[in-house]
Amino acid sequence: MSEQATTDPYRHYVNGEWTDGHGSETFDSENPATGEPLATFHRGTEADVDAALEAAEDAFEEWRELSHIDRAEYLWDIYHELRERHDELGEIITKECGKEISEGKADVAEAWHMVEWAAGNARHPHGDVVPSEIGSKDAYMRRKPRGVIGCITPWNFPVAIPFWHMAIALVEGNTVVWKPAEQTPWCGQIIAEMFEDAGIPDGVFNMVQGFGDAGAAISEDERVDTVLFTGSAEVGHEIASKVGGEPGKLAACEMGGKNGIVITENADLDIAVHSAVMSSFKTTGQRCVSSERLIVHTDVYDEFKDRYVEIAEKVAVDDPLEEDTFMGPAIEPEHVEKIQKHNDLARQEGAEVLVDRFELDDDEIPDGHEDGNWVGPFVYEIEYDSDLRCLKEECFGPHVALLEYDGDIERALEIHNDTPYGLAGAIISEDYRQINYFRDHAELGLAYANLPCIGAEVHLPFGGVKKSGNGYPSAREAIEAVTERTAWTLNN
Ligand code: NAD
């Protein structure tokens, strides 16, 4: 972290300066595996957001005049730094958000992949030249930056997701005001230091630390041309509904899911069990693509259940900094309570509980980590019924329903699609016709066949349908949200 860090709280980064801001409140970042405070940060206010937006607006005119290649130069510096500091940053991510160290490092790798993709695109300009309907004219499409982009990001990919948004926005000529998640301000601090070290011109990149009120001050301000949001559906839809009414303003929201894996009668059960275990328990179920519903054909249901439950009974939580840890803690005590509420709801709705390790035994918790936010798997079976809330609401934890189905792939898809969400899902099947049916009919943005429902590739659009997204996927497609097109016709 920067040298300013002694006992003073960390600051906001606005207009090329570190600033205490206008508020008097501070907040701590905590290690979810130990409960220990990591560092203290100034809490951003509306006045801090106002200063950051003013800086971003002032910087826009000069920044947009640079070529894509010149703008990308700053990001190449950051790309190299991310690579050089891979292990160190992975460890910081793990300390601050509790994900296993392998996942912490993967978060850094995903960030540099995104920066590489966005900066590399500067050398690969794209556009459309199309014939005019009138022979003597030429026509083409040109993209322009939209202006000031407000970025609001979640805690669970605290380095990768900010770069999904900011790298493309900046290379395309926009300026940025970013609010990191309140649970992961340390990661925010480090990213801001990287932009400072890269020498990005004052006001082009700004960061205000804080909570939802600072996020709302960004998203609701008329100077923001696009809001790039990733987080819960609750917040995303609030942002989209407010922004949607404002002419010329756009909100691209990537939200949660109630993801399902369909396991058909001919599935390879080794693949099915591996896929389900990875997707439902890795990162303690706290990925937007984690599966909370396993939809299993009756012919293989009992065998799958026995094998899955055997593992769910055994998967261990451990110190996330240890290389071979499979599951770390939940992010914060409030989230542990939320997971418990989802488990209780399933019970109230008639779940047959197969594994209840929500409250782990003392000897399951790693030594010296007694104050961490530990939870274990909760697995239940329940007869599918469209009215069950437990099959529709995202828990965002190791909370999994087993649903037995009898019938064809159409029946499996009826169950699969019966949630308000449409983010990610997988099919495990040896029959290509079933896989094709899933491909064509599953309501989602990210699909996997015979693979864990997990992971992302930056050159593919990352987004969902229904309640999970509003039509502007992240990564490759984010260019749509940070540029506007002008159709040109020229007289020859
Ligand atoms: P969250 O919605 O609580 O917070 C996300 C961000 O929004 C934070 O920075 C928060 O401070 C800010 N915020 C809160 N209230 C706000 C408001 N009223 N106006 C503006 N900003 C506000 O989400 P979280 O708990 O950080 O993340 C978990 C959620 O994110 C899960 O639902 C998960 O599925 C989803 N997620 C989705 C994706 C995706 O790509 N689809 C990726 C990761 C996480």
Short mmCIF file of all heavy atoms in Angstrom, two decimals, residues 11-51:
data_model
loop_
_atom_site.label_atom_id
_atom_site.label_comp_id
_atom_site.label_asym_id
_atom_site.label_seq_id
_atom_site.Cartn_x
_atom_site.Cartn_y
_atom_site.Cartn_z
N ARG A 11 -7.06 7.28 1.72
CA ARG A 11 -7.83 8.40 1.16
C ARG A 11 -8.50 8.06 -0.16
O ARG A 11 -8.25 7.01 -0.74
CB ARG A 11 -6.87 9.55 0.92
CG ARG A 11 -6.23 10.05 2.18
CD ARG A 11 -5.06 10.92 1.85
NE ARG A 11 -4.57 11.56 3.06
CZ ARG A 11 -3.47 12.28 3.10
NH1 ARG A 11 -2.74 12.45 2.01
NH2 ARG A 11 -3.09 12.83 4.23
N HIS A 12 -9.27 8.99 -0.62
CA HIS A 12 -9.85 8.92 -1.97
C HIS A 12 -8.80 9.42 -2.96
O HIS A 12 -7.89 10.19 -2.58
CB HIS A 12 -11.10 9.80 -2.08
CG HIS A 12 -12.04 9.67 -0.91
ND1 HIS A 12 -12.74 8.51 -0.66
CD2 HIS A 12 -12.38 10.54 0.08
CE1 HIS A 12 -13.48 8.68 0.44
NE2 HIS A 12 -13.28 9.90 0.90
N TYR A 13 -8.96 9.06 -4.22
CA TYR A 13 -8.04 9.55 -5.25
C TYR A 13 -8.86 10.36 -6.25
O TYR A 13 -9.67 9.80 -7.01
CB TYR A 13 -7.35 8.36 -5.94
CG TYR A 13 -6.27 8.77 -6.89
CD1 TYR A 13 -5.05 9.28 -6.43
CD2 TYR A 13 -6.45 8.66 -8.27
CE1 TYR A 13 -4.05 9.67 -7.31
CE2 TYR A 13 -5.45 9.04 -9.16
CZ TYR A 13 -4.25 9.55 -8.67
OH TYR A 13 -3.27 9.92 -9.54
N VAL A 14 -8.70 11.66 -6.20
CA VAL A 14 -9.53 12.56 -7.01
C VAL A 14 -8.66 13.59 -7.70
O VAL A 14 -7.84 14.25 -7.04
CB VAL A 14 -10.60 13.27 -6.11
CG1 VAL A 14 -11.38 14.30 -6.92
CG2 VAL A 14 -11.55 12.24 -5.51
N ASN A 15 -8.81 13.69 -9.00
CA ASN A 15 -8.08 14.68 -9.79
C ASN A 15 -6.56 14.58 -9.60
O ASN A 15 -5.87 15.59 -9.47
CB ASN A 15 -8.58 16.09 -9.43
CG ASN A 15 -8.35 17.06 -10.58
OD1 ASN A 15 -8.13 16.63 -11.72
ND2 ASN A 15 -8.37 18.34 -10.30
N GLY A 16 -6.09 13.36 -9.51
CA GLY A 16 -4.65 13.13 -9.38
C GLY A 16 -4.09 13.39 -8.00
O GLY A 16 -2.88 13.42 -7.81
N GLU A 17 -4.95 13.57 -7.00
CA GLU A 17 -4.49 13.82 -5.63
C GLU A 17 -5.14 12.83 -4.67
O GLU A 17 -6.29 12.43 -4.87
CB GLU A 17 -4.97 15.22 -5.15
CG GLU A 17 -4.57 16.38 -6.02
CD GLU A 17 -3.16 16.87 -5.68
OE1 GLU A 17 -2.68 16.51 -4.60
OE2 GLU A 17 -2.58 17.58 -6.53
N TRP A 18 -4.38 12.52 -3.59
CA TRP A 18 -4.98 11.75 -2.49
C TRP A 18 -5.65 12.75 -1.56
O TRP A 18 -5.04 13.75 -1.18
CB TRP A 18 -3.92 10.95 -1.74
CG TRP A 18 -3.33 9.88 -2.61
CD1 TRP A 18 -2.16 9.94 -3.29
CD2 TRP A 18 -3.92 8.62 -2.93
NE1 TRP A 18 -1.98 8.78 -4.01
CE2 TRP A 18 -3.04 7.95 -3.81
CE3 TRP A 18 -5.11 7.97 -2.58
CZ2 TRP A 18 -3.30 6.68 -4.34
CZ3 TRP A 18 -5.37 6.71 -3.09
CH2 TRP A 18 -4.48 6.07 -3.95
N THR A 19 -6.90 12.48 -1.21
CA THR A 19 -7.63 13.46 -0.40
C THR A 19 -8.45 12.79 0.71
O THR A 19 -9.02 11.71 0.50
CB THR A 19 -8.56 14.32 -1.29
OG1 THR A 19 -9.52 14.99 -0.47
CG2 THR A 19 -9.31 13.50 -2.31
N ASP A 20 -8.49 13.47 1.86
CA ASP A 20 -9.32 12.97 2.97
C ASP A 20 -10.80 13.09 2.64
O ASP A 20 -11.64 12.45 3.26
CB ASP A 20 -9.08 13.80 4.24
CG ASP A 20 -7.71 13.54 4.83
OD1 ASP A 20 -7.01 12.65 4.33
OD2 ASP A 20 -7.36 14.25 5.79
N GLY A 21 -11.12 14.00 1.72
CA GLY A 21 -12.51 14.21 1.37
C GLY A 21 -13.22 15.11 2.36
O GLY A 21 -12.60 15.73 3.22
N HIS A 22 -14.54 15.14 2.22
CA HIS A 22 -15.34 16.11 2.99
C HIS A 22 -15.99 15.52 4.24
O HIS A 22 -16.48 16.24 5.08
CB HIS A 22 -16.44 16.68 2.10
CG HIS A 22 -15.89 17.43 0.91
ND1 HIS A 22 -15.38 16.80 -0.20
CD2 HIS A 22 -15.75 18.75 0.68
CE1 HIS A 22 -14.97 17.70 -1.08
NE2 HIS A 22 -15.18 18.89 -0.56
N GLY A 23 -16.02 14.18 4.32
CA GLY A 23 -16.74 13.56 5.45
C GLY A 23 -15.84 13.38 6.65
O GLY A 23 -14.62 13.49 6.56
N SER A 24 -16.48 13.09 7.78
CA SER A 24 -15.69 12.86 8.99
C SER A 24 -15.64 11.38 9.35
O SER A 24 -14.89 10.98 10.24
CB SER A 24 -16.29 13.66 10.15
OG SER A 24 -17.66 13.33 10.24
N GLU A 25 -16.43 10.57 8.65
CA GLU A 25 -16.48 9.15 9.04
C GLU A 25 -15.41 8.33 8.34
O GLU A 25 -15.00 8.63 7.21
CB GLU A 25 -17.85 8.55 8.65
CG GLU A 25 -18.97 8.98 9.55
CD GLU A 25 -20.27 8.31 9.19
OE1 GLU A 25 -20.26 7.09 8.89
OE2 GLU A 25 -21.29 9.00 9.17
N THR A 26 -14.98 7.28 9.05
CA THR A 26 -14.06 6.30 8.45
C THR A 26 -14.67 4.90 8.61
O THR A 26 -15.63 4.71 9.35
CB THR A 26 -12.69 6.33 9.15
OG1 THR A 26 -12.89 6.02 10.52
CG2 THR A 26 -12.00 7.67 8.99
N PHE A 27 -14.12 3.96 7.89
CA PHE A 27 -14.55 2.56 8.06
C PHE A 27 -13.36 1.64 7.89
O PHE A 27 -12.36 2.02 7.28
CB PHE A 27 -15.69 2.21 7.10
CG PHE A 27 -15.31 2.21 5.62
CD1 PHE A 27 -15.16 1.01 4.94
CD2 PHE A 27 -15.10 3.40 4.93
CE1 PHE A 27 -14.83 0.98 3.59
CE2 PHE A 27 -14.75 3.39 3.58
CZ PHE A 27 -14.62 2.19 2.92
N ASP A 28 -13.51 0.41 8.44
CA ASP A 28 -12.41 -0.55 8.39
C ASP A 28 -12.69 -1.64 7.37
O ASP A 28 -13.83 -2.05 7.17
CB ASP A 28 -12.23 -1.23 9.76
CG ASP A 28 -11.62 -0.29 10.78
OD1 ASP A 28 -11.09 0.76 10.37
OD2 ASP A 28 -11.71 -0.62 11.98
N SER A 29 -11.60 -2.12 6.80
CA SER A 29 -11.67 -3.35 6.02
C SER A 29 -11.25 -4.47 6.96
O SER A 29 -10.33 -4.29 7.75
CB SER A 29 -10.73 -3.18 4.84
OG SER A 29 -10.16 -4.37 4.46
N GLU A 30 -11.94 -5.62 6.88
CA GLU A 30 -11.65 -6.71 7.82
C GLU A 30 -11.32 -7.99 7.08
O GLU A 30 -11.88 -8.25 6.02
CB GLU A 30 -12.88 -6.97 8.70
CG GLU A 30 -12.99 -5.98 9.82
CD GLU A 30 -14.23 -6.19 10.67
OE1 GLU A 30 -14.93 -7.21 10.49
OE2 GLU A 30 -14.48 -5.32 11.50
N ASN A 31 -10.48 -8.79 7.68
CA ASN A 31 -10.16 -10.10 7.14
C ASN A 31 -11.29 -11.07 7.51
O ASN A 31 -11.49 -11.37 8.69
CB ASN A 31 -8.83 -10.57 7.73
CG ASN A 31 -8.39 -11.91 7.18
OD1 ASN A 31 -9.20 -12.71 6.74
ND2 ASN A 31 -7.09 -12.14 7.21
N PRO A 32 -12.05 -11.58 6.52
CA PRO A 32 -13.20 -12.44 6.85
C PRO A 32 -12.79 -13.77 7.48
O PRO A 32 -13.61 -14.43 8.11
CB PRO A 32 -13.88 -12.70 5.50
CG PRO A 32 -13.20 -11.84 4.51
CD PRO A 32 -11.89 -11.39 5.08
N ALA A 33 -11.52 -14.16 7.32
CA ALA A 33 -11.09 -15.44 7.89
C ALA A 33 -10.68 -15.34 9.34
O ALA A 33 -10.59 -16.34 10.04
CB ALA A 33 -9.91 -15.99 7.08
N THR A 34 -10.44 -14.09 9.80
CA THR A 34 -9.99 -13.92 11.20
C THR A 34 -10.80 -12.87 11.95
O THR A 34 -10.75 -12.81 13.17
CB THR A 34 -8.52 -13.45 11.23
OG1 THR A 34 -8.45 -12.19 10.55
CG2 THR A 34 -7.59 -14.45 10.57
N GLY A 35 -11.51 -12.03 11.22
CA GLY A 35 -12.22 -10.92 11.85
C GLY A 35 -11.31 -9.75 12.18
O GLY A 35 -11.75 -8.74 12.72
N GLU A 36 -10.03 -9.86 11.85
CA GLU A 36 -9.10 -8.77 12.19
C GLU A 36 -9.24 -7.59 11.24
O GLU A 36 -9.37 -7.79 10.03
CB GLU A 36 -7.65 -9.26 12.07
CG GLU A 36 -7.21 -10.14 13.21
CD GLU A 36 -5.97 -10.95 12.87
OE1 GLU A 36 -5.52 -10.92 11.71
OE2 GLU A 36 -5.48 -11.62 13.77
N PRO A 37 -9.16 -6.36 11.79
CA PRO A 37 -9.17 -5.20 10.89
C PRO A 37 -7.88 -5.14 10.09
O PRO A 37 -6.80 -5.47 10.60
CB PRO A 37 -9.28 -4.00 11.83
CG PRO A 37 -9.03 -4.50 13.19
CD PRO A 37 -9.12 -6.00 13.20
N LEU A 38 -7.99 -4.75 8.83
CA LEU A 38 -6.81 -4.68 7.97
C LEU A 38 -6.32 -3.25 7.81
O LEU A 38 -5.14 -2.98 7.83
CB LEU A 38 -7.15 -5.25 6.58
CG LEU A 38 -7.49 -6.75 6.55
CD1 LEU A 38 -8.10 -7.12 5.20
CD2 LEU A 38 -6.24 -7.57 6.79
N ALA A 39 -7.24 -2.34 7.60
CA ALA A 39 -6.87 -0.93 7.40
C ALA A 39 -8.12 -0.08 7.52
O ALA A 39 -9.25 -0.58 7.45
CB ALA A 39 -6.24 -0.75 6.01
N THR A 40 -7.90 1.23 7.68
CA THR A 40 -9.02 2.17 7.85
C THR A 40 -9.06 3.11 6.65
O THR A 40 -8.02 3.50 6.12
CB THR A 40 -8.81 2.97 9.16
OG1 THR A 40 -8.72 2.02 10.22
CG2 THR A 40 -9.95 3.92 9.44
N PHE A 41 -10.28 3.47 6.26
CA PHE A 41 -10.46 4.28 5.04
C PHE A 41 -11.44 5.41 5.32
O PHE A 41 -12.38 5.25 6.10
CB PHE A 41 -11.04 3.39 3.92
CG PHE A 41 -10.11 2.27 3.55
CD1 PHE A 41 -10.08 1.10 4.32
CD2 PHE A 41 -9.25 2.38 2.48
CE1 PHE A 41 -9.19 0.08 4.01
CE2 PHE A 41 -8.36 1.37 2.17
CZ PHE A 41 -8.34 0.21 2.93
N HIS A 42 -11.24 6.51 4.63
CA HIS A 42 -12.23 7.59 4.69
C HIS A 42 -13.49 7.15 3.95
O HIS A 42 -13.41 6.52 2.90
CB HIS A 42 -11.68 8.86 4.03
CG HIS A 42 -10.68 9.56 4.88
ND1 HIS A 42 -11.05 10.36 5.94
CD2 HIS A 42 -9.32 9.56 4.86
CE1 HIS A 42 -9.96 10.84 6.53
NE2 HIS A 42 -8.90 10.37 5.90
N ARG A 43 -14.62 7.49 4.53
CA ARG A 43 -15.90 7.12 3.91
C ARG A 43 -16.37 8.26 3.02
O ARG A 43 -16.58 9.39 3.49
CB ARG A 43 -16.92 6.81 5.00
CG ARG A 43 -18.28 6.51 4.44
CD ARG A 43 -19.29 6.09 5.49
NE ARG A 43 -20.58 5.94 4.83
CZ ARG A 43 -21.58 5.25 5.30
NH1 ARG A 43 -21.49 4.62 6.45
NH2 ARG A 43 -22.72 5.17 4.63
N GLY A 44 -16.58 7.98 1.75
CA GLY A 44 -16.94 9.01 0.78
C GLY A 44 -18.35 9.54 0.98
O GLY A 44 -19.26 8.83 1.42
N THR A 45 -18.52 10.81 0.66
CA THR A 45 -19.81 11.48 0.77
C THR A 45 -20.23 11.99 -0.61
O THR A 45 -19.46 11.92 -1.57
CB THR A 45 -19.71 12.71 1.69
OG1 THR A 45 -18.77 13.60 1.06
CG2 THR A 45 -19.21 12.33 3.07
N GLU A 46 -21.42 12.57 -0.64
CA GLU A 46 -21.91 13.17 -1.89
C GLU A 46 -20.95 14.26 -2.39
O GLU A 46 -20.70 14.39 -3.58
CB GLU A 46 -23.27 13.79 -1.60
CG GLU A 46 -24.24 13.67 -2.76
CD GLU A 46 -25.63 14.10 -2.35
OE1 GLU A 46 -26.24 13.44 -1.48
OE2 GLU A 46 -26.08 15.11 -2.88
N ALA A 47 -20.37 15.01 -1.43
CA ALA A 47 -19.44 16.09 -1.82
C ALA A 47 -18.18 15.51 -2.45
O ALA A 47 -17.61 16.09 -3.38
CB ALA A 47 -19.09 16.95 -0.60
N ASP A 48 -17.73 14.35 -1.97
CA ASP A 48 -16.54 13.71 -2.56
C ASP A 48 -16.84 13.22 -3.97
O ASP A 48 -16.01 13.34 -4.88
CB ASP A 48 -16.08 12.53 -1.69
CG ASP A 48 -15.73 12.96 -0.28
OD1 ASP A 48 -15.14 14.05 -0.14
OD2 ASP A 48 -16.08 12.24 0.66
N VAL A 49 -18.03 12.66 -4.14
CA VAL A 49 -18.42 12.21 -5.47
C VAL A 49 -18.54 13.42 -6.40
O VAL A 49 -18.10 13.38 -7.56
CB VAL A 49 -19.77 11.43 -5.40
CG1 VAL A 49 -20.34 11.20 -6.78
CG2 VAL A 49 -19.56 10.11 -4.66
N ASP A 50 -19.07 14.51 -5.88
CA ASP A 50 -19.22 15.72 -6.68
C ASP A 50 -17.84 16.20 -7.18
O ASP A 50 -17.67 16.50 -8.37
CB ASP A 50 -19.88 16.80 -5.80
CG ASP A 50 -20.05 18.10 -6.56
OD1 ASP A 50 -20.80 18.10 -7.55
OD2 ASP A 50 -19.39 19.11 -6.19
N ALA A 51 -16.86 16.20 -6.28
CA ALA A 51 -15.50 16.64 -6.68
C ALA A 51 -14.92 15.70 -7.73
O ALA A 51 -14.27 16.14 -8.69
CB ALA A 51 -14.61 16.69 -5.45
#
